[in-house]
Amino acid sequence: MKRIDRILEYIAEHTRKLAEEHLLYDGGITAAEIAAHQNMLRNNVSKELSDLLRADHIIKIKGRPVKFLHKQTIEDIFRIHLKEKQIEVGSLDEILRPGEQVDPFHSLIGFKDSMRNQVEQGKAAILYPPRGLHTLIVGQTGVGKTLFAKLMYNYGKHMKRFSEDSPFIVFNCADYYNNPQLLISHIFGHVKGAFTGADSEKKGLVEKADGGILFLDEIHRLPPEGQEMIFYFMDTHTYNKLGESERNRSANVLLVAATTEDPGSSMLKTFIRRIPITINIPPLQERTPAEQLQILKHLLESEALRVNKPIKVESEVVKALIGSVTYGNIGQLKSNIQLVCAKGFLNSIRENRDEIILDFKLLPGNIREGLFNLGKNRREIEEFGAIASQLYITPEGSHATEEEDVLEPPFNLYKLIEDKISLLKDEGLDDSYINRFITTDVNIHIKSFYNRFYNLKGSRERILKIVDNEVLEFAEEVKLLVEEELDRKCSERFVYAFSLHLSAFLKRIREKKYGGKPVYDPVNQNDEEYRVALTIKDMIEARFGIDVPGAEITYVAILLKSVEEERQGNVGIIVAAHGNSTASSIVGVVDSLLGSSNICAVDMPLDVSPREILEIIIDKVKSIDSGRGVLMLVDMGSLLSFEATIMERAGIKVKTIDMVSTPLTLEAVRKASILDMELEDIYRSLKDFRGYNNMEASVNAILDNKVIVTVCSSGKGAAIKVKEFVEKIVYDLTEKKMTVIPAKIKELDKVVKELQTKQSVLAVIGVKRPSDRGVPFIPLEQLIDASGEELLRELLLHNELPVAQTNESVVIKDLCEDSLKEFLTYLNPHKILGTLMRFVQELERELQTDFEYAMKVQIAIHTAHALERMVIHDGLVYRGETETLDSHIMNAVNRACGIFASGINLTLSDDEKYYICEMLGDVYKTAPL
């Protein structure tokens, strides 16, 4: 067969395979695809195509790239006769419906096949006089409900039902499902003073959607009172804002709602009756094989456009990708395609190729299994075998729609931060505290996505459905770095959160959508997390061969700040206020910002007796207490009298603060959930709280009014050294500077007395106690052995200063690091210090003892030297009798030494371990078991 005949036959075969709507919308085959499939030179293919067009055998679809269809096949499919010769058009619609604008629904794959009835329903809903019909779209996650709603909107503009500038407003009801009042405020707006923090009138979504469509996603999460307000609006087209008593506002809005649930079981029947049209979107598995292949090809075209490279896909990969979809429909298919394309893209960079090749070996295991899933259905495999051939997708002219209903990853740091800023600013919070809440919010969402989507047994397999294995392995390396550098034990939640974030980052880079600057400046560049983020930036650049923008360091630093070990049993918080919904409103705002689960509201209608309220509060206290007590935030001082009765009857520690407000509640939740503070500490720190704008000033005022005196024999030299030491301890504990004044022994009382006329002496630290017994005294030897540090911590807390929670001694770490800096040559003292401290703690746990301060320092320094000897292969040789060493200690040392292998990739020799056992022998003999 001649080359020109092979090309014509291939175009005819390709044209027959395409569904009718695909021919109308984006049909055809390119010269590059023909050359790739037929193993021909592209120049030769282009020459033959020109000859075939002149001979009137093919139709040329102009665009980028140019595509071709078989003319006789088109005539057979559409039952027409094309009289024109050498046809060159922008699309088939120009031939079939000359002068008509293209129906937006023609872009929907399956619009004349499996989606025919749904399209007819959607058109009827838009065109039905006089205002259209409110519509409910039902379907599984990822089937394309949002896309279908947007096509209805575009069809409305196409048919002049809506104006070109009419709005299409999207709202996800799940965002505020647990706070009906805030949700209703968002949909209908509120007036000034409607609830605490409502300082001005606000437009609702209904008002913004006037003249267009309001799309309510996950409408099953709308509470009953919200459904009632919505169906009243559907009946009358009138509404009222939150805080108004009369419905004197009107809007012309077509409501389109979507749900993944059975409407009959999840929504009010009165609400369902008011929605005349229900459109069911079928899952991907129920679409025809030809449509599934079209969807796959469309998604691949989007990726080709993003990476600006052709994508060559083996036929087995085509089948595996389609078969890999189990629960997420088109959204999951898109995620799987992006995962595979990302890997192929990186391979093309490494191998310096101009195209991305997706072969079966490249696929992760869970996607490979898709081929066998497809094979379980004989009819299905036969149908796919007939149409699924190798694909060659080029970026030129590929269509990427922004309206696709994509299954978003369960944790998206960019979206999380960008979406939250405006809400926080609306609440009147200043920038410094916005930073704290962003950190809190990220932490809450990390926990939320993990608990919702993963379990300990199958978590890795499930995350691999969303991110590439290489990304996951890289995240595990980052976890080890973070644990070593920040001396912080990270849970597996961090690995999965960082994997999802890195995957989103790589996607933004590929799509050239990365913003130039962060939304705000959320971290201090002197923070430890920022320093580690810089290291991670270098690791990403080295591993993935890309340039990481400076703004990304900010996002990584936020993630590092947010991830903490999961805490159990926080202080419970109850907000109690008079009125029908005052307390609920405050808790709703807090919950929407922090997502805390250790807080609840008690609304106190004025017609309910105090005795009834007391019983309700006692029940709430019992239910919310986790063993650490309950903080009550109340609106009136009279409720303070409940405190003693509640403690007596519930047997639970309770503290009460009046003048409750949203900022006060936010700060209480932050201290309980994030700082993990005790009830007394939270109570003391909030007693005089008057809002965020004054808090920093009040802390500084406390510090300005406090002074510490250090005393040594001369008042110089050693006293100054102690002064510097104390300043560092206070700064490490509070992140604030405090005045520390050195004094001579002889002048101590005089100095203290003079200072007390102007300031408060927080403590005297040194070798002599002052005569004034009211001034706390910390002996120098106590400060050195770390018990004095704990006393200093208590003094700071007692003076209502926020103090960092840590189980480690600042003194021990500082002195160990100073010693190691002097003696270590090859190891970085700062980097290995956290690992050494964990080693000491693990030994204490294994041996069920608490080492004295001096012993902790001795073990840490000796082990650091042993690790350095391992680096230079010059380990000690043990000369003693190994039989005399305690086997229990030996086992403990062996287990604890595993920290070095996992943390810094070093292993101690048996001889070095013997010396550590010998060192511990005497201590263990006297330790309590």
Side-chain angles (χ1 to χ4, degrees):
M1 186 184 292
K2 293 182 179 180
R3 183 173 64 201
I4 192 170
D5 295 327
R6 284 171 54 200
I7 292 173
L8 182 61
E9 183 178 298
Y10 185 74
I11 296 173
E13 180 185 352
H14 179 82
T15 304
R16 280 192 295 273
K17 286 183 179 180
L18 292 175
E20 185 175 324
E21 64 266 22
H22 196 49
L23 289 169
L24 291 169
Y25 172 59
D26 192 33
I29 187 168
T30 67
E33 290 172 321
I34 296 170
H37 282 284
Q38 297 297 308
N39 197 24
M40 299 175 182
L41 294 175
R42 181 167 175 171
N43 289 343
N44 291 337
V45 172
S46 298
K47 175 182 177 300
E48 303 293 5
L49 287 171
S50 297
D51 292 343
L52 288 170
L53 183 63
R54 280 194 294 271
D56 199 32
H57 292 309
I58 60 176
I59 298 170
K60 181 178 180 179
I61 308 297
K62 295 180 292 185
R64 294 189 57 201
V66 173
K67 296 184 178 182
F68 300 91
L69 292 168
H70 191 263
K71 184 177 181 181
Q72 182 60 54
T73 303
I74 292 297
E75 290 178 330
D76 294 342
I77 291 173
F78 290 98
R79 297 180 179 85
I80 58 172
H81 175 65
L82 300 174
K83 298 178 182 180
E84 298 86 350
K85 306 295 182 182
Q86 300 182 27
I87 298 174
E88 298 183 41
V89 291
S91 71
L92 279 183
D93 268 322
E94 293 181 21
I95 303 171
L96 303 177
R97 288 181 286 272
E100 291 185 25
Q101 288 186 329
V102 178
D103 184 337
F105 275 110
H106 286 184
S107 65
L108 180 66
I109 294 171
F111 82 93
K112 294 196 74 173
D113 199 339
S114 66
M115 296 292 290
R116 179 192 292 271
N117 289 338
Q118 288 83 352
V119 169
E120 294 304 318
Q121 284 179 293
K123 289 181 176 180
I126 294 295
L127 298 177
Y128 198 87
R131 299 171 182 258
L133 298 174
H134 302 302
T135 303
L136 178 65
I137 303 174
V138 180
Q140 298 173 6
T141 297
V143 294
K145 298 186 291 296
T146 303
L147 172 62
F148 195 91
K150 191 65 182 289
L151 288 173
M152 288 176 64
Y153 166 72
N154 290 337
Y155 181 75
K157 292 197 294 184
H158 172 69
M159 299 301 293
K160 310 302 181 187
R161 165 70 176 79
F162 304 128
S163 64
E164 280 301 315
D165 59 351
S166 61
F168 179 80
I169 305 296
V170 178
F171 177 68
N172 192 316
C173 298
D175 289 345
Y176 297 92
Y177 79 96
N178 57 350
N179 188 333
Q181 200 165 24
L182 200 62
L183 187 149
I184 294 167
S185 165
H186 208 72
I187 294 176
F188 293 103
H190 63 250
V191 296
K192 184 177 180 180
F195 54 85
T196 303
D199 299 326
S200 60
E201 186 167 342
K202 179 182 177 181
K203 278 187 177 183
L205 298 177
V206 166
E207 187 174 352
K208 293 177 182 177
D210 191 15
I213 286 179
L214 173 58
F215 177 62
L216 299 175
D217 201 7
E218 294 195 69
I219 197 167
H220 58 277
R221 308 295 285 273
L222 198 66
E225 53 265 52
Q227 294 182 39
E228 289 170 358
M229 292 185 74
I230 290 286
F231 73 61
Y232 187 93
F233 172 72
M234 287 192 289
D235 285 347
T236 66
H237 299 283
T238 64
Y239 67 98
N240 62 289
K241 291 186 175 184
L242 188 64
E244 291 179 331
S245 57
E246 296 183 5
R247 293 184 173 93
N248 54 10
R249 299 176 185 268
S250 63
N252 179 21
V253 177
L254 183 65
L255 290 172
V256 178
T259 180
T260 55
E261 304 293 321
D262 175 13
S265 62
S266 59
M267 287 181 277
L268 297 175
K269 290 181 173 57
T270 49
F271 182 74
I272 295 299
R273 285 201 298 267
R274 285 167 169 78
I275 301 181
I277 290 187
T278 299
I279 300 174
N280 285 281
I281 308 295
L284 183 66
Q285 291 86 345
E286 294 180 14
R287 307 286 286 269
T288 67
E291 289 175 9
Q292 293 181 42
L293 188 63
Q294 276 182 261
I295 291 169
L296 174 77
K297 188 174 180 182
H298 174 71
L299 296 175
L300 284 166
E301 286 175 347
S302 298
E303 296 307 308
L305 183 64
R306 289 186 178 113
V307 299
N308 197 30
K309 283 189 174 187
I311 302 176
K312 185 177 181 181
V313 191
E314 290 183 354
S315 60
E316 296 302 294
V317 174
V318 171
K319 297 173 187 175
L321 283 168
I322 292 174
S324 70
V325 177
T326 55
Y327 62 89
N329 294 290
I330 298 171
Q332 186 191 359
L333 179 61
K334 183 177 179 67
S335 294
N336 289 349
I337 287 172
Q338 288 179 333
L339 188 156
V340 176
C341 287
K343 198 162 188 177
F345 178 73
L346 292 173
N347 285 348
S348 71
I349 293 174
R350 293 192 191 99
E351 298 167 14
N352 197 26
R353 286 199 313 267
D354 293 332
E355 63 181 8
I356 295 172
I357 298 176
L358 304 184
D359 57 33
F360 198 69
K361 293 180 293 184
L362 185 75
L363 301 182
N366 60 307
I367 296 180
R368 284 187 196 178
E369 291 176 6
L371 181 63
F372 310 110
N373 293 337
L374 200 66
K376 292 175 183 176
N377 185 316
R378 177 179 292 275
R379 182 188 61 80
E380 208 173 48
I381 197 68
E382 288 176 356
E383 290 182 7
F384 273 110
I387 62 173
S389 58
Q390 185 185 84
L391 298 179
Y392 192 80
I393 311 296
T394 59
E396 298 88 357
S398 295
H399 291 71
T401 69
E402 296 181 359
E403 303 146 7
E404 294 168 11
D405 184 18
V406 179
L407 179 68
E408 287 292 334
F411 175 76
N412 187 326
L413 187 60
Y414 300 110
K415 187 175 187 298
L416 197 59
I417 292 175
E418 290 160 6
D419 287 356
K420 195 65 68 174
I421 294 296
S422 59
L423 182 58
L424 287 163
K425 287 190 176 295
D426 286 347
E427 291 299 322
L429 302 182
D430 60 44
D431 289 342
S432 63
Y433 280 87
I434 285 178
N435 299 341
R436 292 181 184 239
F437 291 124
I438 287 297
T439 298
T440 298
D441 199 64
V442 172
N443 180 261
I444 294 296
H445 277 77
I446 290 171
K447 291 180 182 178
S448 174
F449 101 78
Y450 181 85
N451 294 335
R452 182 177 175 186
F453 290 96
Y454 303 94
N455 55 66
L456 198 58
K457 200 171 183 182
S459 53
R460 186 177 180 88
E461 290 72 24
R462 298 192 71 182
I463 194 72
L464 284 172
K465 293 179 183 293
I466 304 172
V467 304
D468 194 350
N469 188 57
E470 184 178 12
V471 170
L472 183 59
E473 290 175 353
F474 180 82
E476 290 169 340
E477 294 175 21
V478 169
K479 174 179 177 284
L480 295 177
L481 170 78
V482 171
E483 289 181 336
E484 180 181 338
E485 292 291 321
L486 297 180
D487 193 21
R488 179 186 304 164
K489 186 68 177 175
C490 299
S491 69
E492 62 180 341
R493 288 197 303 267
F494 170 78
V495 175
Y496 300 147
F498 186 86
S499 298
L500 291 168
H501 175 66
L502 180 59
S503 183
F505 165 71
L506 294 175
K507 177 184 173 185
R508 285 191 170 204
I509 291 294
R510 289 198 310 271
E511 296 174 5
K512 298 180 174 60
K513 290 184 177 179
Y514 198 95
K517 295 181 180 179
V519 181
Y520 68 117
D521 186 18
V523 292
N524 187 328
Q525 295 191 7
N526 294 320
D527 285 351
E528 286 287 286
E529 290 84 357
Y530 193 89
R531 177 181 59 77
V532 176
L534 286 170
T535 303
I536 294 172
K537 166 186 176 289
D538 295 338
M539 291 171 64
I540 294 172
E541 290 180 338
R543 175 67 65 87
F544 298 98
I546 57 175
D547 291 325
V548 177
E552 182 60 18
I553 303 168
T554 292
Y555 287 101
V556 173
I558 292 172
L559 190 56
L560 296 180
K561 277 179 168 290
S562 302
V563 175
E564 303 171 8
E565 291 186 82
E566 188 173 358
R567 299 184 180 96
Q568 300 293 332
N570 294 319
V571 170
I573 296 171
I574 293 176
V575 178
H578 292 83
N580 292 330
S581 59
T582 305
S584 294
S585 178
I586 293 173
V587 171
V589 173
V590 173
D591 202 46
S592 68
L593 291 173
L594 300 184
S596 177
S597 60
N598 70 324
I599 184 172
C600 65
V602 176
D603 294 312
M604 300 188 296
L606 298 177
D607 57 350
V608 177
S609 71
R611 180 172 293 279
E612 291 178 76
I613 295 297
L614 176 61
E615 296 300 326
I616 293 171
I617 292 177
I618 289 173
D619 288 340
K620 292 284 188 182
V621 167
K622 290 178 179 178
S623 65
I624 203 171
D625 177 57
S626 60
R628 297 177 66 180
V630 175
L631 178 69
M632 283 181 50
L633 305 177
V634 301
D635 62 343
M636 294 185 188
S638 59
L639 289 173
L640 291 169
S641 60
F642 281 6
E643 185 178 293
T645 305
I646 293 170
M647 285 195 289
E648 181 181 345
R649 291 183 51 188
I652 294 169
K653 181 73 172 177
V654 175
K655 299 296 289 186
T656 309
I657 298 176
D658 61 357
M659 301 296 289
V660 65
S661 64
T662 302
L664 176 68
T665 310
L666 285 165
E667 188 64 9
V669 171
R670 188 180 71 83
K671 289 178 182 293
S673 298
I674 307 307
L675 299 182
D676 197 26
M677 290 173 64
E678 298 296 336
L679 176 60
E680 288 288 345
D681 297 334
I682 299 172
Y683 173 73
R684 282 199 303 266
S685 66
L686 293 181
K687 273 195 308 183
D688 298 317
F689 182 83
R690 291 294 178 266
Y692 288 112
N693 292 331
N694 300 322
M695 187 174 178
E696 193 74 17
S698 67
V699 170
N700 289 330
I702 293 171
L703 286 166
D704 290 342
N705 193 44
K706 302 291 181 187
V707 63
I708 292 175
V709 177
T710 59
V711 57
C712 285
S713 57
S714 65
K716 300 178 182 177
I720 294 175
K721 283 286 186 184
V722 175
K723 168 187 179 314
E724 294 171 353
F725 198 32
V726 171
E727 284 175 338
K728 187 173 191 315
I729 292 174
V730 172
Y731 185 80
D732 285 342
L733 291 173
T734 67
E735 296 185 359
K736 301 289 182 183
K737 291 183 179 179
M738 179 178 283
T739 303
V740 180
I741 297 175
K744 297 178 183 180
I745 290 178
K746 294 179 180 179
E747 299 175 356
L748 175 60
D749 291 335
K750 179 184 176 183
V751 170
V752 170
K753 192 172 182 179
E754 288 178 353
L755 289 171
Q756 285 178 324
T757 61
K758 301 175 183 177
Q759 295 170 294
S760 173
V761 177
L762 182 71
V764 171
I765 301 174
V767 297
K768 181 186 177 183
R769 180 186 294 275
S771 300
D772 185 348
R773 295 295 176 173
V775 177
F777 173 64
I778 302 175
L780 185 58
E781 61 271 18
Q782 280 193 11
L783 187 70
I784 298 301
D785 76 5
S787 61
E789 178 189 335
E790 188 58 36
L791 179 55
L792 183 56
R793 180 196 302 273
E794 292 301 319
L795 287 171
L796 293 168
L797 282 170
H798 181 70
N799 282 270
E800 301 176 10
L801 289 169
V803 175
Q805 299 293 310
T806 176
N807 294 322
E808 293 181 356
S809 166
V810 176
V811 178
I812 291 175
K813 291 185 68 175
D814 284 349
L815 291 186
C816 282
E817 187 170 354
D818 287 343
S819 299
L820 296 179
K821 283 178 181 176
E822 185 174 348
F823 295 110
L824 293 185
T825 303
Y826 299 97
L827 294 175
N828 184 326
H830 182 73
K831 289 188 175 182
I832 68 166
L833 188 57
T835 306
L836 289 169
M837 292 296 103
R838 289 199 301 277
F839 173 68
V840 173
Q841 291 168 4
E842 185 65 16
L843 284 176
E844 289 180 317
R845 190 185 67 79
E846 290 281 353
L847 298 176
Q848 298 180 31
T849 188
D850 291 321
F851 297 136
E852 294 291 336
Y853 160 76
M855 191 61 189
K856 291 183 181 183
V857 175
Q858 185 181 350
I859 294 170
I861 293 177
H862 173 90
T863 308
H865 284 84
L867 291 169
E868 176 131 315
R869 288 191 290 269
M870 294 299 96
V871 172
I872 61 177
H873 306 291
D874 188 26
L876 296 177
V877 177
Y878 186 68
R879 303 297 182 185
E881 297 293 332
T882 58
E883 294 81 5
T884 63
L885 297 175
D886 190 309
S887 61
H888 182 67
I889 297 178
M890 192 67 230
N891 291 334
V893 171
N894 277 325
R895 286 190 289 268
C897 282
I899 289 172
F900 302 128
S902 61
I904 57 178
N905 200 26
L906 285 176
T907 303
L908 286 180
S909 66
D910 287 342
D911 290 282
E912 292 286 3
K913 292 177 184 177
Y914 295 150
Y915 276 110
I916 296 174
C917 289
E918 189 175 79
M919 183 193 313
L920 295 173
D922 293 336
V923 177
Y924 180 66
K925 288 173 186 176
T926 59
L929 296 178

mmCIF file of all heavy atoms in Angstrom, residues 33 116 146 241 313 555 587 651 801 853:
data_model
loop_
_atom_site.group_PDB
_atom_site.id
_atom_site.type_symbol
_atom_site.label_atom_id
_atom_site.label_comp_id
_atom_site.label_asym_id
_atom_site.label_seq_id
_atom_site.Cartn_x
_atom_site.Cartn_y
_atom_site.Cartn_z
ATOM 1 N N GLU A 33 0.455 13.527 14.854
ATOM 2 C CA GLU A 33 -0.093 12.258 15.352
ATOM 3 C C GLU A 33 -0.001 11.174 14.288
ATOM 4 O O GLU A 33 0.341 10.017 14.578
ATOM 5 C CB GLU A 33 -1.545 12.454 15.787
ATOM 6 C CG GLU A 33 -1.696 13.291 17.046
ATOM 7 C CD GLU A 33 -3.136 13.647 17.355
ATOM 8 O OE1 GLU A 33 -3.897 13.930 16.403
ATOM 9 O OE2 GLU A 33 -3.490 13.650 18.533
ATOM 10 N N ARG A 116 -27.452 12.797 26.949
ATOM 11 C CA ARG A 116 -28.489 13.455 26.147
ATOM 12 C C ARG A 116 -29.652 13.945 27.017
ATOM 13 O O ARG A 116 -30.065 15.103 26.937
ATOM 14 C CB ARG A 116 -29.007 12.503 25.072
ATOM 15 C CG ARG A 116 -30.119 13.112 24.193
ATOM 16 C CD ARG A 116 -30.780 12.044 23.350
ATOM 17 N NE ARG A 116 -29.881 11.524 22.359
ATOM 18 C CZ ARG A 116 -29.732 12.031 21.119
ATOM 19 N NH1 ARG A 116 -30.461 13.069 20.771
ATOM 20 N NH2 ARG A 116 -28.904 11.500 20.277
ATOM 21 N N THR A 146 -20.246 20.667 38.935
ATOM 22 C CA THR A 146 -19.958 22.101 38.788
ATOM 23 C C THR A 146 -19.836 22.477 37.316
ATOM 24 O O THR A 146 -20.319 23.523 36.880
ATOM 25 C CB THR A 146 -18.664 22.453 39.537
ATOM 26 O OG1 THR A 146 -18.794 22.086 40.905
ATOM 27 C CG2 THR A 146 -18.373 23.947 39.443
ATOM 28 N N LYS A 241 -32.073 39.965 55.375
ATOM 29 C CA LYS A 241 -30.729 39.717 55.870
ATOM 30 C C LYS A 241 -30.798 39.300 57.341
ATOM 31 O O LYS A 241 -31.777 39.582 58.036
ATOM 32 C CB LYS A 241 -29.862 40.982 55.732
ATOM 33 C CG LYS A 241 -29.538 41.341 54.292
ATOM 34 C CD LYS A 241 -28.548 42.506 54.230
ATOM 35 C CE LYS A 241 -28.136 42.795 52.790
ATOM 36 N NZ LYS A 241 -27.111 43.855 52.703
ATOM 37 N N VAL A 313 1.267 8.150 24.672
ATOM 38 C CA VAL A 313 0.678 7.248 25.663
ATOM 39 C C VAL A 313 0.458 5.877 25.035
ATOM 40 O O VAL A 313 -0.239 5.752 24.025
ATOM 41 C CB VAL A 313 -0.676 7.788 26.184
ATOM 42 C CG1 VAL A 313 -1.133 6.996 27.400
ATOM 43 C CG2 VAL A 313 -0.587 9.267 26.503
ATOM 44 N N TYR A 555 5.534 29.547 52.416
ATOM 45 C CA TYR A 555 4.510 28.526 52.590
ATOM 46 C C TYR A 555 5.069 27.311 53.320
ATOM 47 O O TYR A 555 4.402 26.731 54.180
ATOM 48 C CB TYR A 555 3.943 28.108 51.234
ATOM 49 C CG TYR A 555 3.036 29.138 50.614
ATOM 50 C CD1 TYR A 555 3.507 29.978 49.610
ATOM 51 C CD2 TYR A 555 1.720 29.291 51.035
ATOM 52 C CE1 TYR A 555 2.681 30.942 49.045
ATOM 53 C CE2 TYR A 555 0.889 30.249 50.470
ATOM 54 C CZ TYR A 555 1.380 31.066 49.483
ATOM 55 O OH TYR A 555 0.558 32.002 48.936
ATOM 56 N N VAL A 587 -19.125 31.250 69.072
ATOM 57 C CA VAL A 587 -18.489 29.946 68.855
ATOM 58 C C VAL A 587 -18.434 29.618 67.368
ATOM 59 O O VAL A 587 -17.461 29.021 66.890
ATOM 60 C CB VAL A 587 -19.242 28.845 69.632
ATOM 61 C CG1 VAL A 587 -18.743 27.461 69.243
ATOM 62 C CG2 VAL A 587 -19.077 29.057 71.129
ATOM 63 N N GLY A 651 -17.542 18.002 90.171
ATOM 64 C CA GLY A 651 -16.243 17.484 90.576
ATOM 65 C C GLY A 651 -15.157 17.792 89.566
ATOM 66 O O GLY A 651 -14.192 17.030 89.407
ATOM 67 N N LEU A 801 3.040 36.135 81.805
ATOM 68 C CA LEU A 801 3.780 36.191 80.550
ATOM 69 C C LEU A 801 3.615 34.866 79.808
ATOM 70 O O LEU A 801 3.691 33.803 80.426
ATOM 71 C CB LEU A 801 5.268 36.443 80.817
ATOM 72 C CG LEU A 801 5.610 37.854 81.300
ATOM 73 C CD1 LEU A 801 7.036 37.916 81.797
ATOM 74 C CD2 LEU A 801 5.396 38.866 80.186
ATOM 75 N N TYR A 853 21.134 16.216 86.074
ATOM 76 C CA TYR A 853 21.554 17.163 85.040
ATOM 77 C C TYR A 853 22.963 16.864 84.533
ATOM 78 O O TYR A 853 23.224 16.784 83.329
ATOM 79 C CB TYR A 853 21.471 18.584 85.596
ATOM 80 C CG TYR A 853 22.293 19.583 84.830
ATOM 81 C CD1 TYR A 853 21.843 20.048 83.599
ATOM 82 C CD2 TYR A 853 23.515 20.026 85.313
ATOM 83 C CE1 TYR A 853 22.599 20.953 82.883
ATOM 84 C CE2 TYR A 853 24.270 20.920 84.605
ATOM 85 C CZ TYR A 853 23.806 21.387 83.388
ATOM 86 O OH TYR A 853 24.549 22.268 82.676
#
